[in-house]
Structures are given as C-alpha cells and as structure tokens.
Amino acid sequence: MQSRALLDNAYNDKSLRAKLYADIYRQLKREFGIDTYKAIKRNQAGLALEIVEQYRPPMVLAQEIEWENAQMRMA
C-alpha cells in the first residue's frame, strides 16, 4: 500500500496516522455506500482489500505526511 510507504517515518505521529486511517475508512464507506465498514459483506471482503491496497491519500494529507517525513529526516 503506497500510503503505508508514505507513512514509514511519519507513522509515529498519532494525529497523522489517525487522519490517514480515518480517510481509508471513509473511502470504504463511500465505495460501498455504507455507514460503517462492518457492514461490508463477507463476499465483498476481497474487493474491500483491493480498495485499501489501491488507496491513495488526498493531496493535502500526502503533503502533510511528506512534510513530517522531511522533518524527521532532518532531525
């Protein structure tokens, strides 16, 4: 998952990590038209995994992650 690779260094920032996971959950909810990811049917689990694996964070979130990673590299 590209988002995991982006988060390698920024992963320690709980706020940033929470934003990313919340957006992944929102993406699943949008794709399936559900209120909670738990409403995904078992026969759709494979599709849900594909969606998560292909997930790309929105530009603003990706920029936050890149900035945080750059700050950690400088430290």
Side-chain angles (χ1 to χ4, degrees):
M1 177 165 60
Q2 182 186 16
S3 53
R4 177 68 177 134
L6 279 174
L7 262 182
D8 280 344
N9 292 324
Y11 195 77
N12 292 325
D13 183 333
K14 289 181 183 181
S15 172
L16 203 48
R17 187 174 62 225
K19 285 181 187 180
L20 181 70
Y21 289 139
D23 194 61
I24 291 171
Y25 287 130
R26 281 192 296 274
Q27 181 66 28
L28 283 171
K29 292 174 188 179
R30 281 190 300 268
E31 294 287 342
F32 288 99
I34 54 177
D35 292 327
T36 175
Y37 74 94
K38 293 178 182 180
I40 297 172
K41 307 286 187 222
R42 288 179 192 243
N43 65 352
Q44 296 176 318
L47 179 57
L49 282 174
E50 282 183 43
I51 290 168
V52 171
E53 288 171 353
Q54 294 175 5
Y55 170 81
R56 300 296 177 260
M59 188 171 28
V60 67
L61 185 54
Q63 288 174 343
E64 280 185 60
I65 292 167
E66 289 172 10
W67 184 86
E68 184 67 28
N69 284 337
Q71 294 299 313
M72 290 184 167
R73 281 191 294 272
M74 290 174 59

